[in-house]
């Protein structure tokens, strides 16, 4: 990465910024990346000089946090990673097989094309599945309804989507149009807490949706057709709040972390998203609703070795440990069969038998 007037910034700064955000201290971040404290702090300082602003702010007795610029820079990098990860994983696997075909002998190489609403735990599941089995989740994040539509049209093998119980009639009808009990089934993935992400310390004392209508409060939204945007709209409707009364309602980001980074970076006072994203960026969180996240697939896909390996991993202590630090998640029922929303069709139990 180059800056004006041609100064170079070490690309390792992104890993370092992520570690500072996650751990809250430069020393722990350096330890996680196996760097000396002096080298890590040198990278941060040089990048800040090159970019014209500090990227990390040291706070006496409280460790370190990302500055507004640091949060924006990391958010932009993570958005690019999310968009490119599936393509890069596929390309890397093709290159590995071409260069070292013998090295992959006997190792599972199943692929699952997945469209899913953005979720932090699902990304960890993808990484763990590849590390342990070699199976690849070609994961593409998009809106919940877009994911369901893609599965119904045969454009992917698995879809991740979420809703608040009880599911409203419009959402249930939309799902039922694309997913049929004879062809598809669903597994429970997680319960998640959704709510308002606000700046650390909650300086504007935001306690609920009604506070978003105050003229001094700036909001940042998720994109249209995302499950989180649809959930917010449902909550606003129930509360009798018009979206036009919220400053910033039309401004959009494409992931929970991007929304959280906008709040952490001072671009907005509040956003709506999952508690885990707020926690990762040190934000205050106002819980509003507990929702269910499901994984739907074709019945043919369910019988594949890759999907059976994924289900086994979902139910394992290893996955619980891998995702256990994500605040606001409950994985106690991960991998259990559930009815498709909006249908009365059966699904399968843990032994693979039909349930009615």
């Amino acid at each position: 990465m180059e800056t004006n007037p041609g100064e170079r910034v070490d690309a390792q700064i992104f890993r370092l910024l992520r570690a500072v955000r996650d751990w809250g201290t430069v020393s722990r971040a350096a330890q996680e990346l196996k760097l000396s404290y002096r080298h890590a702090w040198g990278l941060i300082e040089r990048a800040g000089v090159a970019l014209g602003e500090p990227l990390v702010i040291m706070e006496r007795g409280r460790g370190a946090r990302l500055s507004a610029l640091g949060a924006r820079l990391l958010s932009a990098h993570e958005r690019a990673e999310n968009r490119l990860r599936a393509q890069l994983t596929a390309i890397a696997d093709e290159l590995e097989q071409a260069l070292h075909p013998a090295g992959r002998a006997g190792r599972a190489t199943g692929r699952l094309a997945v469209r899913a609403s953005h979720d932090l735990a699902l990304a960890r599941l993808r990484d763990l599945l590849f590390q342990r089995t070699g199976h690849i989740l070609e994961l593409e994040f998009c809106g919940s309804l877009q994911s369901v539509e893609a599965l119904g049209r045969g454009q992917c093998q698995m879809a991740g989507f979420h809703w608040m119980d009880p599911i409203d009639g419009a959402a249930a009808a939309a799902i039922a149009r694309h997913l049929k009990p004879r062809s598809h089934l669903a597994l429970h993935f997680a319960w998640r807490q959704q709510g308002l992400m606000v700046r650390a310390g909650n300086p504007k004392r935001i306690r609920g949706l009604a506070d978003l209508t105050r003229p001094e409060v700036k909001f940042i939204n998720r994109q249209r057709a995302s499950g989180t945007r649809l959930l917010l709209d449902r909550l606003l409707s129930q509360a009798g709040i018009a979206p036009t009364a919220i400053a910033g309602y039309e401004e959009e980001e494409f992931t929970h972390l991007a929304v959280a980074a906008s709040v952490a970076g001072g671009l907005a006072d509040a956003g709506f998203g999952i508690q885990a994203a707020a926690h990762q960026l040190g934000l205050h969180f106002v819980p509003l609703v507990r929702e269910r996240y499901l994984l739907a697939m074709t019945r043919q896909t369910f019988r594949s070795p890759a999907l059976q390996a994924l289900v086994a991993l979902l139910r394992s202590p290893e996955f619980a440990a891998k995702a256990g630090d994500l605040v606001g998640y409950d994985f106690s029922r991960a991998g259990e069969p559930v009815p498709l929303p909006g249908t009365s069709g059966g699904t399968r139990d843990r032994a693979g038998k039909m349930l009615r």
Side-chain angles (χ1 to χ4, degrees):
M1 187 170 65
E2 294 190 358
T3 64
N4 292 326
E7 295 181 72
R8 296 186 65 83
V9 176
D10 194 321
Q12 193 174 26
I13 191 66
F14 294 112
R15 296 176 60 228
L16 189 52
L17 290 178
R18 182 181 290 115
V20 170
R21 181 194 68 190
D22 292 347
W23 295 105
T25 69
V26 175
S27 59
R28 181 61 185 272
Q31 180 183 348
E32 290 296 317
L33 299 181
K34 296 181 171 55
L35 301 174
S36 69
Y37 178 87
R38 182 176 179 180
H39 181 58
W41 185 245
L43 286 173
I44 293 171
E45 283 197 317
R46 286 193 296 274
V49 170
L51 295 171
E53 293 181 36
L55 300 182
V56 171
I57 297 174
M58 304 293 288
E59 299 178 312
R60 184 179 298 275
R62 298 181 62 186
R65 62 179 175 86
L66 299 187
S67 68
L69 176 61
R72 291 198 302 272
L73 187 64
L74 183 58
S75 172
H77 179 66
E78 290 181 332
R79 288 200 300 272
E81 278 188 326
N82 286 335
R83 293 168 185 168
L84 294 173
R85 190 187 301 273
Q87 295 94 321
L88 293 177
T89 299
I91 292 170
D93 189 63
E94 290 173 8
L95 289 173
E96 183 181 350
Q97 292 188 54
L99 294 172
H100 306 288
R104 296 296 295 263
R107 191 181 186 198
T109 56
R111 294 174 179 272
L112 292 172
V114 182
R115 302 279 181 88
S117 180
H118 182 248
D119 184 76
L120 302 182
L122 192 57
R124 294 194 182 186
L125 178 65
R126 172 202 55 207
D127 297 342
L128 187 61
L129 182 69
F130 179 72
Q131 292 168 10
R132 295 294 176 264
T133 70
H135 294 304
I136 296 171
L137 290 188
E138 295 177 343
L139 180 57
E140 180 179 339
F141 288 128
C142 56
S144 275
L145 292 183
Q146 292 169 329
S147 301
V148 169
E149 290 172 4
L151 179 60
R153 293 170 180 167
Q155 297 170 343
C156 63
Q157 295 160 285
M158 189 164 71
F161 60 100
H162 56 99
W163 81 91
M164 179 178 71
D165 280 333
I167 189 169
D168 63 34
I175 293 171
R177 279 197 302 272
H178 297 284
L179 304 185
K180 308 300 180 184
R182 289 186 177 182
S183 305
H184 303 92
L185 57 84
L187 299 175
H188 177 84
F189 181 56
W191 292 102
R192 309 189 307 184
Q193 284 285 350
Q194 290 247 43
L196 295 175
M197 301 183 283
V198 302
R199 294 183 191 176
N202 197 5
K204 295 197 173 179
R205 298 184 180 181
I206 297 170
R207 297 184 175 87
L209 293 175
D211 293 313
L212 301 181
T213 64
R214 286 160 33 200
E216 74 275 16
V217 174
K218 175 72 182 303
F219 186 69
I220 183 73
N221 211 345
R222 284 291 303 280
Q223 81 276 18
R224 291 173 177 82
S226 69
T228 295
R229 173 72 166 262
L230 296 172
L231 174 59
L232 173 65
D233 287 346
R234 181 182 178 185
L235 294 176
L236 290 175
S237 177
Q238 290 175 349
I241 298 173
T244 54
I246 300 174
Y249 176 87
E250 296 298 332
E251 297 188 24
E252 302 176 350
E253 282 290 357
F254 285 81
T255 68
H256 293 282
L257 285 174
V259 171
S262 294
V263 176
L267 300 179
D269 300 301
F272 186 74
I274 58 174
Q275 185 176 3
H279 179 76
Q280 283 197 16
L281 271 71
L283 301 177
H284 181 78
F285 184 75
V286 181
L288 295 179
V289 64
R290 187 173 185 249
E291 64 170 6
R292 181 197 292 271
Y293 195 107
L294 291 190
L295 300 174
M297 66 219 66
T298 64
R299 291 185 178 275
Q300 182 179 1
T301 297
F302 181 81
R303 293 188 289 268
S304 70
L307 202 288
Q308 289 298 306
L310 182 145
V311 172
L313 192 58
L314 267 180
R315 297 168 179 169
S316 70
E318 189 174 12
F319 173 68
K322 179 76 172 178
D325 64 329
L326 292 173
V327 177
Y329 277 83
D330 178 356
F331 299 106
S332 60
R333 295 183 56 196
E336 290 186 8
V338 294
L340 289 168
T343 74
S344 57
T347 185
R348 296 178 183 270
D349 63 9
R350 288 180 177 265
K353 297 179 180 179
M354 288 300 298
L355 295 175
R356 295 292 182 183

